[in-house]
Amino acid sequence: MSKQLLLDLGERAGWTGVQAALGLVVVELADLPVWWAAPAALALSSAKGWVAGRLGRAGTASTLSATADPASHPWGV
């Protein structure tokens, strides 16, 4: 596996874990049934993508830099 692929995989897995954990925290604090964690995590994922699209690499929802983001080099370089 290339370094860029590992960075992309790590970023995606890391953000998924953070969003799931925050979704659980939100439903616990709001005293909601645990199944609400999934929609809460979905909302957090959408918000993260929106913010990253404006602050991260242009044209993507990635928080990786342009040099680390595989989308910057679609030909695999």
Side-chain angles (χ1 to χ4, degrees):
M1 273 193 219
S2 71
K3 179 182 174 184
Q4 289 179 329
L5 179 60
L6 288 173
L7 286 170
D8 187 45
L9 179 66
E11 179 203 23
R12 290 170 189 254
W15 279 114
T16 299
V18 167
Q19 292 155 1
L22 285 174
L24 286 170
V25 168
V26 167
V27 299
E28 284 295 316
L29 290 175
D31 199 26
L32 295 170
V34 74
W35 68 266
W36 277 102
L42 176 65
L44 289 167
S45 177
S46 298
K48 177 263 173 191
W50 185 84
V51 170
R54 277 130 189 90
L55 300 178
R57 188 179 160 278
T60 73
S62 177
T63 55
L64 293 174
S65 67
T67 56
D69 188 3
S72 300
H73 310 283
W75 53 91
V77 175

